[in-house]
Every structure is written in structure tokens, then in C-alpha cells.
Amino acid sequence: MRITKTWTKRVAANWKLWVENSREAYHTDVAHLESYLRMGRRPDGKRFCAMGVPGVYEINSGSLSTGIQVPENSRIPVFTGLSQEDLSHSHLAISYPLFLLNLLPNHMAYHQIFPEGPEAMTVVSGFCFAEST
């Protein structure tokens, strides 16, 4: 994997709110409707399947057809050696309390959270792709 883009953003929000919002799918049908439509998809109400050890790590997995991270016509090749489930799902992981991974068939994103008190935080994010890509 190679980190291809990183960015740092200060956010005027409590880190707990940002982390919870980034790991749940309840908001996506409404908040990301325009993105769904642009990709020729319609949100279908399917939700993630959660697993893990609460307070240590959790992984929410869901079908790519209900997400907006990988367009159907993506020119970025998928990783070799993935299972059928991993080829058709996204996996959103959190290592509590402040490290998040978005694992998809053709890329990975990460977010490190740095709280600055109850009303602000800094998020350091990055996108990673296969070296061959």
C-alpha cells in the first residue's frame, strides 16, 4: 500500500460525535442521497453488520451496492486475493478510541483523531492504494 493523499482538518465538534457519525449508516440515505443518485444508485436501507469487542475495536461491514465509496465503473483495480465477501463489501473499522480504517476492495482510508477538548478536534486522514495502482 502507498499513501497517496493526506490532509489535516480542524473540526469544531466533539470527537465522540464525529467518530459515531462516521461509523454508522443511519444518516447516509438522506445526507448522501445526491452522491447515490450521481453514481446511479438508490439507497436501499440496508445497514451494516457489526462485529468486534465493544470498547476495543468494532467493524461494520456492508454491501458496496449500498455505499458511495466505490463506483461500479471505477478504473482503480481491486486487490488480488480477496474473498468474494471482501470484493463486494466495505469494512469500516475503529480501534478505540481514536483510529479509524475504511477498508474497500480497491483502496483504504484512515483517520486519526486528536481531541482538543469537548468542542474541537483535529483529524488527520489519508488514502492508500496498492503500489501497482
Side-chain angles (χ1 to χ4, degrees):
M1 301 290 286
R2 167 140 330 170
I3 298 172
T4 59
K5 179 178 173 117
T6 61
W7 64 97
T8 300
K9 183 173 184 175
R10 188 164 192 278
V11 180
N14 185 289
W15 70 271
K16 295 173 195 170
L17 178 66
W18 191 92
V19 167
E20 181 178 329
N21 185 292
S22 75
R23 299 296 96 175
E24 56 84 6
Y26 304 115
H27 75 281
T28 57
D29 292 0
V30 176
H32 301 293
L33 180 60
E34 187 175 316
S35 296
Y36 277 113
L37 297 176
R38 206 171 34 246
M39 293 176 66
R41 295 182 181 164
R42 282 215 164 289
D44 62 6
K46 290 184 181 175
R47 299 292 174 233
F48 290 107
C49 173
M51 59 182 260
V53 179
V56 179
Y57 78 93
E58 292 185 45
I59 302 171
N60 292 329
S61 297
S63 170
L64 287 178
S65 66
T66 64
I68 57 173
Q69 300 100 335
V70 179
E72 288 181 19
N73 60 352
S74 177
R75 292 179 288 177
I76 300 168
V78 298
F79 301 119
T80 58
L82 294 179
S83 69
Q84 199 57 38
E85 179 181 351
D86 290 338
L87 285 169
S88 63
H89 285 75
S90 61
H91 305 288
L92 306 179
I94 178 170
S95 177
Y96 285 106
L98 304 170
F99 186 71
L100 296 85
L101 287 172
N102 298 352
L103 304 167
L104 295 115
N106 66 356
H107 73 281
M108 177 185 86
Y110 66 85
H111 309 283
Q112 294 173 281
I113 312 298
F114 298 93
E116 299 172 9
E119 297 179 8
M121 64 178 183
T122 296
V123 181
V124 177
S125 301
F127 275 109
C128 305
F129 294 89
E131 183 75 29
S132 59
T133 302

